[in-house]
Amino acid sequence: MTTLEKIGAAPSRLGATALYDWDYLVQEDRVHRLIYTDPAIFEAEMTQVFGGTWTYLAHESEIANENDFITRRLGLRPLIIVRDTNGTVRALYNRCTHRGTTLCRWDKGNSKSFQCPYHGWNFLNTGKLRGVPWPEGYAADLRDAKYNLAQVPRVESYRGFIFATLNMDALPLVEHLGPIAPVIDEWLDRNPGGKVVVCEANRFKYKGNWKLAYDNSCDGYHVAYSHRSLLETENRMAGDNAKGMAYYRDSPDTLAMYMRYTGHGNHYKDKRPNLEKRPGGLWALEATQPGMAAYEADFIRRYGRDRAFALLDLAGSEPVNINVFPNFSLLGNHIQVFEPISVGETNAIWYGTMVVDETGELGDAVTDVNALRMRTQEAFPNFGEVDDVANFEQVQRGLMAVEDEWVYMHRGLGIPCRVKTLADGTITAPATDEAFMREHFKEWKRLMKSRLNLAIRREP
Ligand code: FES
Ligand SMILES: [Fe+2]
C-alpha cells in the first residue's frame, strides 16, 4: 500500500468554481470584487493556494524539543505541528481517523502520543495509530495505514521557518523562496548566531478577506493617510529626523526606499537604504516612544557608549517588510501570519521575537535587550495595525456593492522606466507602487487555474 493519497482526481472535487473565468476576474490593472467576497472562490483557495504553494506554519523555536507540539492550520485544515520522538518535524492533520473529531485540543505542549477525547483512539506523534479501546470489537485490521493520521506530505524549514505544501510538484522550499531567501538571511544575521526565538503574539481578528492583508503587506501608498495619527505623533517627537513612520512624510517616492518583487508571490519593501552603517544606526531610526531616552542613557551608563549602541540596535526594528505568499510577513522584528477563517474573516497574528545568546557574546545584556525589544515591538501592533485592520473591514463592506465590480491596482503601470525588471527577473518599483500586487495576483491566478499534483501522506 502506498502512503501517498492523491487529491483532486475525483470529479466530485471539481468544485463550484470549475467554470470560473480567472482571466476575467484578475486582469492586469484590476481584480473583480468576487475574489474577495465569493465563498466558492474562498473554498477553492483553501486547496489551490493554501495547499498548492508553500505556506508558513510555525517557527522551529516553538517546538524546540523532541515531542513538543503546537496546533496551527493550513488554510482551514487543523494541524498538529510536532517534533516527533526521532526529532522529525511533521504536520499531522488534527483530525481523528475514527469519526473526524479534533484530536488535540491544546494550543501547545509536549507529548509522545495523542489520545482522542471522543472514543479514546490513541496515536503516536509519528501519526501512527497506537491502539483503540476494546479492539476485539473490530473485524478490520487496525494496522491498515488508512487508520493512521493524515499528514502534510512536504514539510521543510528555511532557517527555522517551517513551511508546508500538499503540492508534490512544488519546487524545494529554498528554490521557491529564491531571491527573497538572502533578504531573510539578512533579517536573521543581524542577531547573535543568526537566530531568533518566537515568543507570544498580538492577535487581531478582522471581518475581511485574507488577501486584503497580503495586498497591504508591501503597500507604501497608504501609510501617510491611513497611519496619519501615528505619523503626526512621530513627526512631533522625531523633530527633523525621519524615524519610524515619519520616513513616509513629504514625498515617499523620492526617498531611497523601494519595493522588490522576487517571484512566486513574494516581495519586500526596503527602507534600509536610509540606514547609517554604524553602531546605533538602526536605533536612530526606531520610532520615538516615551521613555526611550531614559533606556538609552541607562544602556550607555551600564555598557559604555559603543557597546550600548550595538545592543540598542538589537532592540530596534529592522526597516524592511518581507512577504512570502500567501500568509507570512517579517515586519520590523515581528513574524506576522495571516490565517483565513472564512471568506470575510481573518486572523492577523503578530508574533514577537527575542534574540538568543547561545555563544554567550551578550552576557547579562541579553535580558535587557529582549526587555527593550518587547517595548519596541508593542508599538506598531497597538498604534498602527489597528488602522490597517479598520481599512480591511471597510474594504470588505465597500465590496458588498454588487454592481460596482472592480478593484484597481494600477499605480505605476504604464509609466515609462518606473517599474524595472532586473537581470535576475526580479522587479523593482517605487515604494508607493502597486506593482507587487499585480505580480502576486499573477501567482494567485496561476495557482487557481492549475491542476495541481496534490496529495496527503500517512505512515505505512
Ligand atoms: S472520533 Fe476519535 S476516537 Fe472516535
Ligand atoms: Fe499599514
Side-chain angles (χ1 to χ4, degrees), residues 38-280:
D38 181 18
I41 290 181
F42 177 81
E43 189 176 330
E45 284 177 325
M46 292 304 102
T47 298
Q48 299 294 110
V49 178
F50 289 81
T53 191
W54 288 102
T55 300
Y56 178 72
L57 294 181
H59 190 264
E60 284 190 21
S61 64
E62 297 174 277
I63 46 167
N65 305 306
E66 281 174 12
N67 304 316
D68 280 354
F69 70 86
I70 46 170
T71 50
R72 292 284 156 81
R73 287 188 315 185
L74 173 62
L76 298 184
R77 295 165 197 85
L79 298 180
I80 308 169
I81 319 300
V82 63
R83 188 181 296 274
D84 75 14
T85 309
N86 301 316
T88 305
V89 175
R90 297 172 184 270
L92 307 173
Y93 278 50
N94 192 6
R95 176 217 185 272
C96 181
T97 49
H98 177 217
R99 294 251 291 276
T101 190
T102 312
L103 174 63
C104 174
R105 315 265 171 102
W106 301 89
D107 293 335
K108 56 185 167 187
N110 182 282
S111 183
K112 288 183 180 162
S113 64
F114 300 98
Q115 177 154 295
C116 182
Y118 200 173
H119 314 90
W121 283 27
N122 194 290
F123 299 87
L124 292 172
N125 65 9
T126 58
K128 256 178 123 71
L129 180 62
R130 182 190 188 199
V132 306
W134 307 295
E136 60 279 8
Y138 283 100
D141 183 358
L142 290 172
R143 288 170 301 184
D144 190 321
K146 69 185 180 190
Y147 301 118
N148 297 332
L149 295 177
Q151 309 197 16
V152 182
R154 298 183 65 193
V155 179
E156 291 181 20
S157 286
Y158 183 74
R159 295 199 59 182
F161 301 107
I162 305 169
F163 290 78
T165 181
L166 306 181
N167 188 349
M168 302 311 293
D169 293 340
L171 290 169
L173 176 62
V174 66
E175 287 176 40
H176 173 82
L177 293 172
I180 210 153
V183 192
I184 296 173
D185 292 345
E186 288 158 11
W187 187 88
L188 285 165
D189 288 339
R190 77 183 190 87
N191 300 306
K195 278 189 174 177
V196 292
V197 164
V198 169
C199 41
E200 249 313 325
N202 286 70
R203 293 166 195 275
F204 296 84
K205 180 182 281 185
Y206 66 86
K207 290 182 178 153
N209 187 265
W210 67 271
K211 293 187 291 302
L212 297 171
Y214 198 77
D215 294 350
N216 187 68
S217 64
C218 218
D219 182 332
Y221 196 25
H222 76 293
V223 177
Y225 288 85
S226 293
H227 301 298
R228 183 177 297 172
S229 60
L230 178 56
L231 199 126
E232 284 179 358
T233 307
E234 290 181 351
N235 278 346
R236 257 199 323 274
M237 298 175 87
D240 292 335
N241 301 318
K243 284 163 158 283
M245 286 273 144
Y247 193 47
Y248 285 91
R249 65 191 169 193
D250 304 325
S251 176
D253 282 350
T254 59
L255 298 167
M257 66 179 161
Y258 64 98
M259 153 265 138
R260 188 165 176 195
Y261 180 78
T262 63
H264 299 133
N266 309 329
H267 36 64
Y268 64 94
K269 192 169 56 183
D270 197 351
K271 290 187 279 176
R272 293 172 303 173
N274 193 43
L275 191 61
E276 291 175 47
K277 297 212 176 349
R278 60 170 173 88

Side-chain angles (χ1 to χ4, degrees), residues 314-357:
L314 291 176
S317 315
E318 184 79 339
V320 60
N321 299 8
I322 304 168
N323 312 305
V324 179
F325 183 77
N327 71 332
F328 172 87
S329 285
L330 297 174
L331 292 120
N333 295 331
H334 285 97
I335 300 169
Q336 194 190 11
V337 181
F338 312 125
E339 285 185 356
I341 301 170
S342 67
V343 68
E345 204 169 10
T346 307
N347 288 327
I349 305 170
W350 293 65
Y351 293 95
T353 62
M354 300 190 298
V355 298
V356 277
D357 186 30

